[in-house]
Amino acid sequence: AQKVTQAQTEISVVEKEDVTLDCVYETRDTTYYLFWYKQPPSGELVFLIRRNSFDEQNEISGRYSWNFQKSTSSFNFTITASQVVDSAVYFCALSEALYNNAGNMLTFGGGTRLMVKP
Amino acid sequence: EAQVTQNPRYLITVTGKKLTVTCSQNMNHEYMSWYRQDPGLGLRQIYYSMNVEVTDKGDVPEGYKVSRKEKRNFPLILESPSPNQTSLYFCASSVGTGAYEQYFGPGTRLTVT
């Protein structure tokens, strides 16, 4: 069964600090997809990134970067020079490609609440 | 505007009183699903639907029902709500399974007393 662990339940930083959110996953599939979603205080879920298991290139988007390492089953998310608007709950999620040939079971981690203080 | 809508956004009800949370998407997506979000547990899938008249259980289906009679709508039904179903519920839709990003509705906060 697939599993996603976000060991950091809450992180507090001061604005402009860099912060890394950890995500460790378990899966038996060789083909799978990893996602990060952001949930700001308003409550909606915002898609940030998708990465497939065959693409281990790190990705950078502005102040956001993602480090995917299959060897350690990790998909960590770093925010550089954090801002107050980054305050949110961040979820890492995993989808296996062949879940009973259906279902798209998207398994979420428990989430990390990030608080960025001015 | 492409979106997933849910109604109501907030609901307080009593144990045993049947309720329905509606979900609708305007993106012609085949795949729809329901999740519940609880502190520390992330989101857990309740039910999903691959297409009209095709539904199946997710991780936590007990106490819930769904139907998919039209492609755009996927209501969640609680026949006899109990306090342990107090949660934040999200509906989602996507083009397909696996690699596809899921688009989430705004959420429905349900309290059962």
Side-chain angles (χ1 to χ4, degrees):
Chain A
Q2 56 190 48
K3 183 180 177 182
V4 177
T5 302
Q6 295 178 256
Q8 307 148 307
T9 54
E10 210 167 278
I11 300 175
S12 181
V13 299
V14 177
E15 207 169 21
K16 297 184 183 175
E17 284 186 17
D18 299 347
V19 58
T20 295
L21 310 183
D22 297 334
C23 172
V24 175
Y25 62 90
E26 296 176 27
T27 177
R28 294 177 185 171
D29 252 2
T30 55
T31 302
Y32 52 89
Y33 305 90
L34 295 161
F35 301 79
W36 275 94
Y37 284 86
K38 174 182 180 180
Q39 186 177 43
S42 51
E44 74 272 23
L45 286 158
V46 179
F47 167 79
L48 294 178
I49 191 173
R50 171 187 53 238
R51 173 66 76 220
N52 74 56
S53 54
F54 296 109
D55 182 1
E56 287 193 71
Q57 276 193 328
N58 291 332
E59 178 145 349
I60 298 174
S61 176
R63 296 183 297 106
Y64 294 173
S65 63
W66 290 269
N67 182 0
F68 175 33
Q69 292 196 336
K70 284 178 79 169
S71 61
T72 56
S73 298
S74 64
F75 186 43
N76 297 337
F77 173 30
T78 296
I79 302 174
T80 303
S82 59
Q83 299 176 1
V84 172
V85 293
D86 295 327
S87 297
V89 180
Y90 292 86
F91 291 100
C92 180
L94 165 71
S95 175
E96 292 174 341
L98 296 174
Y99 173 69
N100 291 334
N101 201 32
N104 190 27
M105 175 68 82
L106 190 60
T107 298
F108 283 82
T112 297
R113 180 178 299 278
L114 174 65
M115 293 175 289
V116 182
K117 299 177 181 177
Chain B
E1 179 192 354
Q3 60 181 355
V4 178
T5 57
Q6 294 178 228
N7 282 292
R9 296 288 312 279
Y10 303 91
L11 180 59
I12 300 174
T13 189
V14 296
T15 299
K17 186 176 181 182
K18 180 179 178 180
L19 66 92
T20 299
V21 183
T22 64
C23 172
S24 184
Q25 50 95 3
N26 63 2
M27 295 169 277
N28 202 35
H29 286 166
E30 292 192 347
Y31 181 88
M32 297 185 74
S33 61
W34 275 101
Y35 295 84
R36 61 176 287 172
Q37 181 182 353
D38 301 291
L41 299 178
L43 281 79
R44 294 177 293 167
Q45 193 178 54
I46 302 171
Y47 269 95
Y48 63 90
S49 169
M50 299 291 290
N51 212 326
V52 175
E53 301 291 1
V54 181
T55 63
D56 209 344
K57 297 176 181 178
D59 258 351
V60 288
E62 295 75 24
Y64 304 95
K65 284 176 57 177
V66 293
S67 69
R68 187 95 180 270
K69 301 201 181 302
E70 304 166 282
K71 197 171 187 179
R72 63 182 294 125
N73 296 325
F74 190 45
L76 179 69
I77 303 157
L78 285 71
E79 294 268 5
S80 183
S82 62
N84 64 13
Q85 293 177 299
T86 293
S87 188
L88 178 59
Y89 291 86
F90 287 98
C91 179
S93 74
S94 63
V95 170
T97 62
Y100 295 98
E101 167 198 350
Q102 293 198 29
Y103 293 82
F104 287 86
T108 294
R109 186 165 292 282
L110 172 66
T111 302
V112 184
T113 62

